[in-house]
Amino acid sequence: MSAWRTFSLLISSLLSLSCSVSPPAGVRPVEPFTVDRYLGTWYEIARLDHPFERGLDHVTAQYILRSDGSIKVINSGFSAAKQRWKQSIGKARFLGSPQTASLKVSFFGPFYGGYHVIALDEDYRYALVAGPSRDYLWILSRTPTLNAQARQALLHTARELNFPVDSLIWVKQDMPPPA
């Protein structure tokens, strides 16, 4: 096999892994799911570490339905090191039925990653969200804090699904997002 062909296969493999949209094996998105109830602002309570949010606290995600059925995603967070707010705007689309909480999200052109709501209380007050692998996990809440019972329930679910919950970063939420 030529060096060029080997290099091309390697790059293709890396791109396909970095753009995976399916949930991790054995992880099932919430059904039934009502997108209108999920829209609005969510506070990030905890997350697994990854480069695109590293060093950020006071993180929020806002979801807004677009006329074409896609969802506008606005992620905001504060970098204490740089003393400034950081914002990323993206788009999300359902992978299949909108009644299944499984979407693909893009912040970088044609590259998508999976976004799967895997636990959600009946009032849509808190959620557990997985990415395309067990390296991505978020605990979200409609408020800047999460009660102990809800927190323990979400951690239990994540543990049962083999996510590395001991590696979660607990996000500071002690200041309001920018106006």
Side-chain angles (χ1 to χ4, degrees), residues 47-69:
R47 69 172 178 267
L48 290 175
D49 191 28
H50 46 76
F52 50 93
E53 279 188 287
R54 189 161 292 144
L56 297 181
D57 279 312
H58 319 293
V59 178
T60 60
Q62 186 177 13
Y63 304 103
I64 303 162
L65 189 63
R66 293 179 166 170
S67 60
D68 67 358

Side-chain angles (χ1 to χ4, degrees), residues 138-177:
W138 294 267
I139 295 176
L140 304 179
S141 175
R142 291 293 190 174
T143 59
T145 59
L146 185 61
N147 70 56
Q149 183 179 0
R151 179 177 166 162
Q152 288 309 314
L154 294 172
L155 288 173
H156 176 76
T157 299
R159 235 181 235 105
E160 290 288 310
L161 293 169
N162 296 314
F163 284 90
V165 296
D166 293 336
S167 297
L168 284 168
I169 295 168
W170 297 92
V171 179
K172 292 178 191 173
Q173 288 287 0
D174 57 355
M175 65 189 283

